[in-house]
Amino acid sequence: MRAFIPNYQLITSKSLSETLSLLASEPGVWQPFAGGTDLMVLLESGKLVHKNYLNIWNLPELRGITATPDHLTLGALVTYTEVQSDPILREEFPMLCQAASETGGLAIQNRGTIGGNIANASPAADSPPALLAYNAELELLSVRGSRWVPYQTFHTGYKEMIMQPDELLARVRLPRRWPDLHHYYRKVGTRKAQAISKVCMAATARVSDGTVDHIRIAFGSIAPVPLRCLKTEDVLHGAKLEGSIVEKARAALAREIVPIDDIRSTKDYRLKVSLNLLEDFLRGLASDSW
Ligand SMILES: Cc1cc2nc3c(=O)[nH]c(=O)nc-3n(C[C@H](O)[C@H](O)[C@H](O)COP(=O)(O)OP(=O)(O)OC[C@H]3O[C@@H](n4cnc5c(N)ncnc54)[C@H](O)[C@@H]3O)c2cc1C
């Protein structure tokens, strides 16, 4: 079952521009290799189909976390350990820190990157729901230039993305200035630690004068792509935070999502847990706001 190593090639380019040139010169031939925590599992099990990799680990342009008054920007190579120790992320984007702290064990957190989690495009990945709820944007770089895209439009189907073969995911940008937000993140797996999600929910909300005036709800592991639940958000946006809101929200979510069946869980279990998490979120919101 193990891969035949001589069939594989891993090269390290000297610079970002050389990386982009290589990606452009033979589109689809070279694929980025970041922390390798997803790729090495496939290699070890003999399931790594693609053969040629470009090591991007040493590119300084893809590292670091920078802040402006309006945005916090993470290089694609920022690791889960770095996410957890950044003071602004902890203060303003706690769900991303929680997702990072619940991703794998310490070794994975030291090596796995936020860019790799996004580009690997697993529906069960744990940072995407938080990124959706925070309205993240992604920078895709190529020799043709840079383009910023809303993360919400990035995944187009199971393991399919709008990123082109000559593009590199360079940065993740989070809009700041969301005071008084409630943040809710829950990962449900077979056990508390080191488990792959069966359902993962991230949501933000703000309540003023008893009315929900901001809401974003996202789920992982229930669909072929990480999912933002816009129809359920519509039902909740502008609604009074009173008893009946829970039933309305549960009904809206039950209409909106069609959970998947796979080796990790069933669609019935996923639906039940998703509805319960939404209820838990709304009840917590109500008790914090009254
Ligand atoms: C034991 C174990 C436990 C894990 N637990 C979890 C968990 O709890 N939750 C979770 O979400 N994940 C988990 N993972 C998966 C993995 O650690 C994460 O998805 C991680 O973020 C991948 O990042 P990486 O840098 O290692 O990606 P890599 O393995 O280097 O790459 C993954 C994919 O992304 C592409 N890629 C990487 N960087 C870029 C870039 N900048 N631009 C374009 N494409 C790029 C690669 O070409 C490849 O296709 C686990 C993995 C292991 C081995």
Side-chain angles (χ1 to χ4, degrees), residues 70-116:
D70 292 332
H71 293 102
L72 195 69
T73 305
L74 292 75
L77 290 175
V78 165
T79 63
Y80 296 110
T81 301
E82 290 167 330
V83 165
Q84 290 171 75
S85 55
D86 184 83
I88 301 180
L89 279 170
R90 289 161 72 115
E91 170 79 22
E92 297 179 31
F93 303 98
M95 298 193 298
L96 201 57
C97 297
Q98 193 181 337
S101 74
E102 295 184 25
T103 294
L106 287 183
I108 295 297
Q109 291 172 16
N110 284 337
R111 184 79 194 177
T113 65
I114 193 84

Side-chain angles (χ1 to χ4, degrees), residues 199 258-262 265-276:
V199 178
V258 184
I260 51 171
D261 254 326
D262 67 9
S265 191
T266 63
K267 59 177 189 295
D268 293 344
Y269 179 80
R270 285 185 160 113
L271 179 62
K272 196 168 191 171
V273 171
S274 302
L275 297 176
N276 288 348

Side-chain angles (χ1 to χ4, degrees), residues 22-240:
L22 265 166
L23 289 174
S25 64
E26 298 171 282
V29 171
W30 296 98
Q31 272 186 17
F33 190 104
T37 59
D38 276 311
L39 291 172
M40 290 305 289
V41 172
L42 294 173
L43 181 78
E44 279 295 301
S45 58
K47 292 180 187 152
L48 188 60
V49 177
H50 199 83
K51 297 289 187 290
N52 303 308
Y53 290 93
L54 259 177
N55 174 20
I56 58 171
W57 188 253
N58 297 323
L59 298 178
E61 294 88 344
L62 271 53
R63 295 216 160 269
I65 301 174
T66 51
T68 64
D70 292 332
H71 293 102
L72 195 69
T73 305
L74 292 75
L77 290 175
V78 165
T79 63
Y80 296 110
T81 301
E82 290 167 330
V83 165
Q84 290 171 75
S85 55
D86 184 83
I88 301 180
L89 279 170
R90 289 161 72 115
E91 170 79 22
E92 297 179 31
F93 303 98
M95 298 193 298
L96 201 57
C97 297
Q98 193 181 337
S101 74
E102 295 184 25
T103 294
L106 287 183
I108 295 297
Q109 291 172 16
N110 284 337
R111 184 79 194 177
T113 65
I114 193 84
N117 202 224
I118 295 168
N120 191 54
S122 163
D126 290 318
S127 62
L131 294 172
L132 283 175
Y134 287 138
N135 237 5
E137 297 165 301
L138 307 181
E139 185 188 31
L140 302 178
L141 265 189
S142 72
V143 290
R144 293 172 285 124
S146 150
R147 60 174 177 140
W148 284 95
V149 297
Y151 179 49
Q152 207 181 311
T153 63
F154 184 73
H155 300 286
T156 53
Y158 178 71
K159 294 260 179 189
E160 288 172 8
M161 299 156 264
I162 59 174
M163 186 165 61
Q164 297 301 305
D166 67 340
E167 286 182 316
L168 191 63
L169 171 54
R171 292 185 288 175
V172 180
R173 187 161 75 182
L174 303 169
R176 297 179 71 185
R177 300 181 188 233
W178 293 99
D180 306 325
L181 269 198
H182 291 258
H183 309 251
Y184 179 93
Y185 181 90
R186 279 288 299 276
K187 166 175 172 171
V188 177
T190 306
R191 52 186 191 181
K192 222 169 165 21
Q194 302 228 37
I196 300 178
S197 295
K198 292 171 189 247
V199 178
C200 175
M201 174 179 160
T204 55
R206 191 179 49 209
V207 178
S208 56
D209 294 333
T211 300
V212 179
D213 74 351
H214 161 98
I215 183 127
R216 291 203 198 105
I217 300 167
F219 282 92
S221 261
I222 63 164
V225 296
L227 203 65
R228 176 103 180 259
C229 296
L230 296 169
K231 290 182 181 159
T232 306
E233 289 176 14
D234 276 350
V235 167
L236 290 169
H237 192 254
K240 282 268 170 225

